[in-house]
Amino acid sequence: MKHKTQQRKALMECLHEARGPLSPAEILWFSREKVPSLGIATVYRNLKLLVEEGFVAELQVPGQGSYYEPADMDHHHHFQCRNCKQLFCIPGCPPGITSLAPEGFKLDGHEIFLYGRCSECTQ
Amino acid sequence: MKHKTQQRKALMECLHEARGPLSPAEILWFSREKVPSLGIATVYRNLKLLVEEGFVAELQVPGQGSYYEPADMDHHHHFQCRNCKQLFCIPGCPPGITSLAPEGFKLDGHEIFLYGRCSECTQ
DNA sequence: ATACTTGCAAAAGTTTTGCAGGTTA
DNA sequence: TAACCTGCAAAACTTTTGCAAGTAT
């Protein structure tokens, strides 16, 4: 049976308060406001644990390692701003996606990344 | 003005002979058949150069670093087999993709990754 | 009391950089 | 010969692991 530590609680709170997926470094930064002694190894260990237990979803971002978000979100994809680098969640999914797989290939998942400028950085 | 070295030529040949995008380690492995003394630093330096000059396209694969392919290919996406991990090129693109961006966001590119089992690994 | 967790520091994996020597034009 | 490149080894990063000490139940 797992113990509910301050550290683990702080991580989950951060993820729920965030506007989008966070990197381990961002999670460390924000969580230290609640648990100043927190170390990066603990962040990685807990993220792994929380992903295994199904509370957190891992998002592997091309060229930028893994980001994390609460697992209880509906199916969605992401937009990354080329200027501020922030990741935004995009609800929905193009309908034709499942017909792209070639003959004989069995499709069981997909990931879409949109790139451009967010509304803040467009101005 | 750049010099045409054996090393650089070997890299480009490998990429053209490959059935899909290659990782730096794979490129090193295959290129050493042509230039046995080749070092990994040279692979990284030349890939960077070839990308900058527009001869090679970098594909940042979620969770697996960068892969490389010749830049003269038509717009396409990729399928990764969960079993053998190989990357396959997928021609085409779902039509609804451009309408996913939220109001006020300027979209200038996108990347799609399909996951599942390739025809070899389905059997 | 026992099982689980933490922070630190060391280790491991990947990509980049400094440099002396070698290659290309 | 002058500019450019290479291989090696060291450096920089990011992520993982071992361990002694601390915390939750």
Side-chain angles (χ1 to χ4, degrees), chain A residues 47-60:
Chain A
L47 286 172
K48 188 175 182 184
L49 190 73
L50 290 164
V51 168
E52 283 167 5
E53 305 211 324
F55 296 115
V56 168
E58 178 178 10
L59 173 70
Q60 297 183 320

Side-chain angles (χ1 to χ4, degrees), chain A residues 79-83 114-118, chain B residues 105-109:
Chain A
F79 181 107
Q80 185 167 38
C81 178
R82 298 218 197 251
N83 188 239
L114 304 180
Y115 297 98
R117 290 211 157 214
C118 71
Chain B
F105 282 48
K106 191 162 165 293
L107 184 68
D108 68 16

Side-chain angles (χ1 to χ4, degrees), chain A residues 78-84 86 88 90 113-123, chain B residues 97-110:
Chain A
H78 299 89
F79 181 107
Q80 185 167 38
C81 178
R82 298 218 197 251
N83 188 239
C84 69
Q86 200 184 330
F88 299 85
I90 303 294
F113 295 92
L114 304 180
Y115 297 98
R117 290 211 157 214
C118 71
S119 52
E120 291 285 297
C121 292
T122 296
Q123 296 163 15
Chain B
I97 192 85
T98 56
S99 56
L100 287 178
E103 195 70 29
F105 282 48
K106 191 162 165 293
L107 184 68
D108 68 16
H110 66 272

Side-chain angles (χ1 to χ4, degrees), chain B residues 32-46:
Chain B
R32 274 189 165 164
E33 291 177 10
K34 301 173 185 192
V35 183
S37 67
L38 183 65
I40 189 67
T42 299
V43 171
Y44 279 106
R45 274 188 293 233
N46 275 297

